[in-house]
Amino acid sequence: MLLRRAHNLLCYWRDGSFVIQNYLTGTEVSLAPMAADILAAFTDWTTADEAVKEFPDHDPDSCRAAVAELHSLGFLLPADESERDARLAGEWETWSPEAGALHFASKDADYTESPEVNDDFRAGKRPALFKNYPDADRILLPRAPLDVDAGFVRTLYQRRTHRSFQQVDLPLPVLSGLLAMVFGPSEFLDGQDFGALMKRTSAAGGSRQELEAYIGVFAVEGITPGLYHYNVLEHSLELLDPDFTRERAAHLSFGQEAVAEAAITVFVTAVVERMSSKYRAPRAYRVMLMNAGHLGQTFALTATALGLGPFQTLAFRDSELEGALGVDGIAETALYVLAAGIPAERERGADTAGLDAFRRAVLHPSQA
């Protein structure tokens, strides 16, 4: 049987042991350092018998047993098991191993808290919240706010992460406005050699706009519940799964009640090639993550301005979510989960002013 070394391997020393990790599959084991020499013999497609010839000073049967173990661990692959490995190597070629290892090795975390770490944190073993330079000269700044738009200031200070929502439908124009202001184009630019560029209201490195939005609609007036893709250019919702429920969304987010109660849940993905085709260095992976953060903050502020309660989380079942969205997790991968709804009564307070104003201006213009 022809075998080849998996592309997505890391080797390193930890606590005195030689560790080999396949960051695509999550397999990580301590082996003898000679395992790296055996893996090196399978840079190209070859058989165990041919590879063993490269180690004349070692027992052939022991070498074959080592090859069999490396195969069983997924470090050596036959042709019929290598497609996903090869696809990742191709799609993430210029960003790996640095970005690929971070991204794929941190996927599918179980989010089980470590009691030891948690107990230490509760016992006061935590970093200081504020940093200062005691010996530096100081200039005390005025705390009076600047004379900026009062509505914008209210939005900033009213933003909260909400985890409980009223079970009422959102008006369709509210959802439409939220998607347009957060995910839709704000402007198109002539990028000359880089082609036409789309701007959003969020900062995005190089205007590559690699982020896509999939919307779980559960309580919006006039829209049948289900999973939709937001078509940015057309400003439309494309139905992907009419059987997608809020219970399913909550399961994909480790049972978080905020996702179970929200009127909508937004699953943000990244189409990797849009970014990597221009920015070839692995540092661009940082840009992609920051872009998702910029967009998430815009979502939170826009939802707050509309009188909605925003929620955001990184706790989700990566591979299962990607399967539900119909993306492969390599060329397009899940990054972020956002949600929104009308806050529960105990959380509402003044932050419904935006929704009330929106209703007057859009739904009932004669009352505005």
Side-chain angles (χ1 to χ4, degrees):
M1 176 172 56
L2 291 174
L3 297 170
R4 188 195 62 202
R5 183 179 68 249
H7 289 100
N8 309 294
L9 300 182
L10 293 178
C11 300
Y12 49 89
W13 293 94
R14 184 172 63 196
D15 298 330
S17 297
F18 183 70
V19 178
I20 303 178
Q21 178 187 28
N22 185 326
Y23 57 80
L24 175 59
T25 64
T27 303
E28 177 184 309
V29 295
S30 297
L31 296 172
M34 184 187 172
D37 295 326
I38 296 176
L39 289 170
F42 289 88
T43 300
D44 298 314
W45 293 104
T46 189
T47 65
D49 289 338
E50 288 297 319
V52 165
K53 293 177 182 178
E54 297 189 23
F55 306 96
D57 297 332
H58 293 79
D59 177 62
D61 290 338
S62 296
C63 289
R64 290 189 185 90
V67 169
E69 182 178 8
L70 292 171
H71 175 207
S72 69
L73 291 168
F75 299 158
L76 293 175
L77 301 173
D80 59 354
E81 297 176 12
S82 63
E83 179 183 359
R84 185 169 172 82
D85 176 88
R87 289 192 61 239
L88 189 148
E91 294 283 353
W92 289 69
E93 178 183 6
T94 61
W95 287 4
S96 289
E98 298 92 339
L102 173 60
H103 184 83
F104 291 94
S106 60
K107 287 184 69 168
D108 297 312
D110 62 9
Y111 288 90
T112 301
E113 287 188 327
S114 168
E116 294 80 11
V117 173
N118 197 40
D119 288 345
D120 287 345
F121 190 86
R122 288 176 175 172
K125 295 180 180 179
R126 47 187 181 265
L129 185 60
F130 301 103
K131 180 179 180 179
N132 64 77
Y133 294 86
D135 299 327
D137 292 338
R138 281 173 166 69
I139 300 173
L140 297 179
L141 302 174
R143 290 186 178 272
L146 296 175
D147 184 17
V148 297
D149 179 73
F152 175 70
V153 174
R154 281 198 302 271
T155 297
L156 285 178
Y157 284 95
Q158 287 176 356
R159 188 217 57 79
R160 298 288 186 277
T161 297
H162 291 264
R163 292 178 172 83
S164 183
F165 303 97
Q166 297 184 57
Q167 295 307 295
V168 296
D169 289 354
L170 296 186
L172 178 57
V174 172
L175 172 63
S176 178
L178 178 64
L179 295 179
M181 286 186 278
V182 177
F183 300 100
S186 62
E187 186 179 359
F188 289 94
L189 303 174
D190 180 2
Q192 299 182 1
D193 291 345
F194 299 111
L197 301 178
M198 181 184 82
K199 289 182 63 178
R200 282 173 167 154
T201 53
S202 299
S207 288
R208 300 310 305 147
Q209 307 302 355
E210 73 281 359
L211 303 177
E212 292 287 325
Y214 296 80
I215 322 296
V217 176
F218 309 121
V220 177
E221 295 173 356
I223 298 184
T224 302
L227 177 67
Y228 295 80
H229 171 254
Y230 178 55
N231 183 318
V232 172
L233 184 61
E234 194 175 72
H235 186 51
S236 66
L237 292 176
E238 301 168 322
L239 179 61
L240 302 180
D241 183 359
D243 298 321
F244 191 82
T245 63
R246 61 171 76 239
E247 291 77 17
R248 177 72 169 144
H251 167 76
L252 293 170
S253 303
F254 288 92
Q256 296 180 78
E257 291 185 6
V259 177
E261 293 185 6
I264 63 165
T265 299
V266 182
F267 304 103
V268 179
T269 69
V271 179
V272 175
E273 187 182 20
R274 291 185 197 161
M275 178 65 72
S276 65
S277 61
K278 179 179 180 182
Y279 298 113
R280 311 292 283 175
R283 188 178 180 87
Y285 178 68
R286 291 194 197 184
V287 178
M288 193 168 77
L289 298 184
M290 289 183 178
N291 288 348
H294 296 325
L295 189 145
Q297 179 71 340
T298 301
F299 178 90
L301 292 174
T302 305
T304 300
L306 294 175
L308 304 178
F311 173 78
Q312 53 282 320
T313 182
L314 284 176
F316 55 86
R317 305 175 191 272
D318 297 70
S319 296
E320 195 171 345
L321 172 58
E322 288 160 350
L325 300 180
V327 302
D328 65 2
I330 295 178
E332 184 174 353
T333 185
L335 288 187
Y336 211 178
V337 175
L338 312 171
I342 298 176
E345 289 293 343
R346 65 181 179 274
E347 298 181 340
R348 293 187 76 192
D351 61 2
T352 56
L355 180 56
D356 293 339
F358 187 91
R359 283 173 168 154
R360 288 195 300 272
V362 177
L363 305 181
H364 308 288
S366 62
Q367 301 176 17

